[in-house]
Amino acid sequence: MKIEIKEAVEFLRSQDDYLILMHASPDGDTLGCGFSLCGALQRMGKRAKAVCPDEIPHRFDYMREAVTEQEFEERNIICVDVADTKLLGDMKEMGDRAALCIDHHVSNTEYAERLLLRENYAAAAELMYEVITALGVEIDRPIANCIYTGVATDTGCFKFSNTTPQTHIIAAKLMECGAEIAPINYAMFELKTPGRLKLEQEVLKGISFHAEGHVAVITVMKSVVDSIPDIDSDDVGAMAALPRQIEGVDIGISIKEKKGGIFKASLRSSERIDVSEIAKQFGGGGHARAAGCSFSTTFEEAERLIVEASCAAVRQAGLI
Ligand SMILES: [Mn+2]
């Protein structure tokens, strides 16, 4: 059942012993929502904990300052920034029992008993700001840092087209609450682990260009990832952005080798190409500027198929 902020607040005030679930392969938005809500509930005198099915990358460690570790028997499950319980990995079953979901994905499957959804918000953290404000909890610096992280990361540091005037207004209010924007932006958008730098070096060695430079392809082989110590899924995922950083590239493709001989292609594009249309040809999907699809073929075949379809899209768009 879809609900409004008022009903979410009534629910959160009337219950206790909350278990907050954040999605697998966690990003700044799900973690920012989870830890800020957990901290806010604890400041109301409630028992709450925020958990994630995957290990949380170290660059998000500061978010834990917003919460205290509590041990209790969970009674109410809340999912934040989770569009589908499939995104909860081995916590899926708990997600299926969710009493409340706070989210911003159009694709939300309405699995929770109560769904607070704002499809037009850039980040679920924007909605979390409104919920915590409506709860009457004063947003202190650690909570402001969490919410700010969610808003900043889901908008690519306010650079993506999903950024609205409201996004900036909320960010400004979080600054007034003491959010430490400079160190957070540095940790989220500048800093690279040594492992990520090494992977970038390896991956860029094999970059190839097609369709007169409009299409660029990189490959992330499992053996290369496994050869680099201390690398996390976050570092590997960041590779998908590399090809589109090159001038003239309208379609950036990264092909990643997954377990069991599956190759996953991640597509990023300029506004001149809709890559969700390319991904759809191979049973995938996504957004116009970012999409993906999987191949259970040899690497050579996967590469050939995705490159051919991309070159066709470039021709169709009249770019060559
Ligand atoms: Mn999000």
Side-chain angles (χ1 to χ4, degrees):
M1 179 187 57
K2 285 204 182 162
I3 59 163
E4 283 305 313
I5 289 181
K6 189 172 162 284
E7 291 143 298
V9 164
E10 275 165 19
F11 169 77
L12 292 168
R13 282 196 180 132
S14 66
Q15 303 293 314
D16 203 347
D17 301 320
Y18 297 102
L19 177 68
I20 302 162
L21 302 182
M22 308 179 284
H23 65 69
S25 302
D27 60 15
D29 195 28
T30 200
L31 296 170
C33 287
F35 286 114
S36 64
L37 179 60
C38 183
L41 290 166
Q42 290 178 345
R43 282 158 187 66
M44 290 165 70
K46 309 274 187 192
R47 284 176 295 267
K49 57 182 153 190
V51 297
C52 179
D54 287 339
E55 204 183 316
I56 298 173
H58 290 301
R59 62 197 181 93
F60 296 111
D61 280 352
Y62 63 91
M63 290 206 196
R64 295 186 192 280
E65 288 167 24
V67 301
T68 46
E69 299 266 327
Q70 294 182 327
E71 275 312 314
F72 57 90
E73 204 184 313
E74 306 103 19
R75 280 189 293 146
N76 289 288
I77 294 169
I78 306 172
C79 296
V80 290
D81 193 41
V82 179
D84 187 321
T85 54
K86 275 191 252 168
L87 303 168
L88 286 168
D90 54 19
M91 293 183 173
K92 184 188 179 298
E93 272 178 28
M94 287 196 275
D96 289 331
R97 289 187 278 119
L100 173 65
C101 170
I102 299 176
D103 188 25
H104 71 131
H105 292 95
V106 195
S107 54
N108 191 289
T109 59
E110 302 193 27
Y111 57 88
E113 205 180 318
R114 300 168 188 81
L115 171 62
L116 177 59
L117 185 69
R118 289 282 187 276
E119 305 169 358
N120 53 336
Y121 282 21
E126 289 182 40
L127 180 52
M128 195 55 77
Y129 173 83
E130 294 179 344
V131 170
I132 292 174
T133 303
L135 281 169
V137 175
E138 195 196 324
I139 296 179
D140 53 22
R141 185 190 301 264
I143 290 185
N145 282 343
C146 292
I147 305 174
Y148 178 80
T149 304
V151 174
T153 53
D154 261 25
T155 58
C157 208
F158 309 92
K159 288 196 298 253
F160 299 161
S161 53
N162 60 1
T163 308
T164 63
Q166 172 187 272
T167 317
H168 284 288
I169 289 167
I170 289 176
K173 289 190 171 154
L174 293 166
M175 283 179 78
E176 287 178 344
C177 298
E180 294 159 290
I181 67 157
I184 292 173
N185 290 335
Y186 177 70
M188 295 299 125
F189 306 106
E190 303 288 332
L191 204 63
K192 289 174 185 177
T193 59
R196 176 163 158 193
L197 187 69
K198 181 87 188 112
L199 184 60
E200 275 185 12
Q201 287 173 330
E202 292 302 319
V203 156
L204 286 174
K205 276 183 203 162
I207 192 165
S208 65
F209 295 92
H210 310 268
E212 296 172 22
H214 290 283
V215 176
V217 187
I218 58 165
T219 307
V220 186
M221 286 299 188
K222 204 174 164 301
S223 59
V224 174
V225 175
D226 292 344
S227 72
I228 301 170
D230 298 326
I231 196 156
D232 58 42
S233 60
D234 222 39
D235 294 325
V236 180
M239 298 303 113
L242 290 177
R244 265 277 294 144
Q245 291 170 356
I246 302 157
E247 186 175 18
V249 172
D250 284 287
I251 305 179
I253 304 170
S254 100
I255 304 174
K256 189 169 87 181
E257 183 185 6
K258 309 268 278 184
K259 266 182 256 165
I262 289 172
F263 293 94
K264 181 169 189 282
S266 298
L267 312 171
R268 300 286 183 273
S269 69
S270 67
E271 51 297 322
R272 306 200 282 188
I273 303 272
D274 181 348
V275 277
S276 72
E277 292 298 328
I278 300 173
K280 260 188 231 162
Q281 295 173 35
F282 305 105
H287 307 282
R289 305 282 89 84
C293 53
S294 291
F295 298 89
S296 32
T297 59
T298 60
F299 167 72
E300 288 73 19
E301 182 69 357
E303 185 184 38
R304 189 183 65 79
L305 289 169
I306 198 70
V307 167
E308 273 181 14
S310 298
C311 292
V314 166
R315 271 193 298 276
Q316 212 176 13
L319 302 179
I320 53 170

